[in-house]
Amino acid sequence: MSSRFICASFIAVSLSLGTAPVAYAQAQSGTSSVAHLDASLLAFAAKWNLDERDFQVLYDEDLLAKAGGATKYQEFVAAADANDPVAALLAGICAAYGKGRPKSNQDAVAFYRRANRVPFPYAMVNLGGHLGYGIGTRRDLREAMNLYRRAAEAGNGFAMAEMGSRYITGIGVPKNVATGISWLEKSVAAGSPSGMVMLGGLYNSGSHVAKDHSKAMQYYRMGEAIGDHSSILYVGTMLLYGEGVPRNETEGARLILSAANSGRPYAMTIYGSHLIYGDGIAKDVAKGVEWIKRAADLNDEFAQITYANMLIDGRHVPKNIAEGLRILTGLVNENDSEAMCTLGNIYEFNSDVPKDIPAAIGLYRRAAELDDWEGIENLARVNAGGIGMAKNPREAVRLYNRAIDIGSASAMTSLGLLHLEGKGVPKNEAEAVRL
């Protein structure tokens, strides 16, 4: 399961821990409802040193590492050509991340389709991720949701987490928070770190739920217990700031470094940022930049966007606007919605780059069409302010409500101001205060 495609926005009604710890205990003891692969798939998996549990608990990068790493890419391709679906999956992961070969999302999609010639839940989730975000292929939410549902009903915990995030945000399905939470709980019960991180994020952000760092930490600790590097990063972060636990900067820094040392680019980028700003960790700008550059060189979109912004602003690295724009434009061409919003903001606000409001609006619109809440919120802002277009407060209200549905807390503030001023909606001070 690609960690790139996990929905990061968590919108839900109040959720108690309920049976989650029990479900997690069941997962660890082997009594939970998990995916059972057929004998032929298990035989192919065993050839690459993989077993049934790996497809429940390992993200793409870790699955590839356990199977022998990118140096085996040519072996994966040869085996895929001989109709090995697990090898096709592994070749697809290499293509998607540029491991052992140049990065190509189009090739990744082709390999994932080959892996899905047999019912293969993990490969269904990866293909669904590309289809759901239009990465390397035409966007097709209907097919993506069909793949997620089939994989989830087969017991795959990553697919269950995707189903949960989709129902919570209303992307690809009618919004139904209760159903979404139920799927996330099933994901935790199946032992998937994805569900644990999502539920932890729900409480950590407090987006549409009462913020509860203690509950967030419980879910992150579940992921930490099975060695999930994302969970380790979040536990470390909460310890660093004393959220949900007594503050322990030494242990927090150790865990964040541990997550970064695992080679996960997101953790590497976060650790690098802590070093640059001396945020709870001894300041070392040069080392921080080195960590972020290493992560960007691993073809990670978040790291590349971070590094591109540094280049364009000349923050901590020599200023190189052309290179920063080149990186962002490449990501936009790969249909990366975060890069679209970043580049749009640069065209709209950065005084060192020629202002291009129509291009900015076009990028916001493309991101919004991919259900990116930041793109939707930017589009709402330009509608409300009449930036590059006639003012349209009604459309701004519609867009802000959609951004709130997907997970934007800042959209609530913006919508509240429209209620306060009576723009696009009847003036309502009480509603403005509530938001």
Side-chain angles (χ1 to χ4, degrees), residues 224-401:
E224 180 192 24
I226 58 173
D228 175 56
H229 301 302
S230 295
S231 299
I232 292 168
L233 172 67
Y234 297 136
V235 169
T237 301
M238 295 186 78
L239 284 166
L240 198 68
Y241 297 119
E243 296 174 338
V245 289
R247 185 167 188 165
N248 187 333
E249 290 187 355
T250 301
E251 178 63 5
R254 185 190 70 79
L255 288 171
I256 294 171
L257 176 59
S258 170
N261 279 332
S262 73
R264 295 295 289 270
Y266 180 76
M268 294 165 69
T269 305
I270 295 299
Y271 183 64
S273 297
H274 279 292
L275 286 169
I276 287 172
Y277 295 103
D279 186 13
I281 295 174
K283 188 171 184 175
D284 190 326
V285 174
K287 282 188 178 179
V289 170
E290 181 184 340
W291 274 102
I292 292 171
K293 181 63 167 61
R294 282 172 56 198
D297 288 343
L298 291 171
N299 295 311
D300 177 74
E301 293 88 345
F302 175 68
Q304 288 175 325
I305 291 170
T306 301
Y307 187 60
N309 275 321
M310 292 166 65
L311 288 168
I312 291 168
D313 295 337
R315 283 183 291 112
H316 316 297
V317 295
K319 194 164 192 167
N320 191 333
I321 294 173
E323 177 62 8
L325 292 177
R326 185 195 68 78
I327 292 170
L328 291 174
T329 301
L331 291 171
V332 167
N333 290 339
E334 287 288 333
N335 230 25
D336 187 287
S337 60
E338 185 180 351
M340 293 172 192
C341 295
T342 301
L343 189 55
N345 285 165
I346 288 168
Y347 285 143
E348 185 178 0
F349 298 113
N350 194 304
S351 60
D352 291 329
V353 176
K355 189 178 286 288
D356 192 337
I357 298 299
I361 292 173
L363 288 163
Y364 299 151
R365 199 178 301 281
R366 284 181 63 186
E369 288 169 354
L370 291 170
D371 296 301
D372 182 290
W373 66 260
E374 189 178 356
I376 295 168
E377 189 171 355
N378 274 305
L379 201 55
R381 176 179 53 76
V382 297
N383 271 278
I387 300 168
M389 61 177 68
K391 281 188 179 182
N392 190 340
R394 286 185 181 276
E395 176 66 359
V397 168
R398 185 189 73 79
L399 289 165
Y400 279 133
N401 275 312

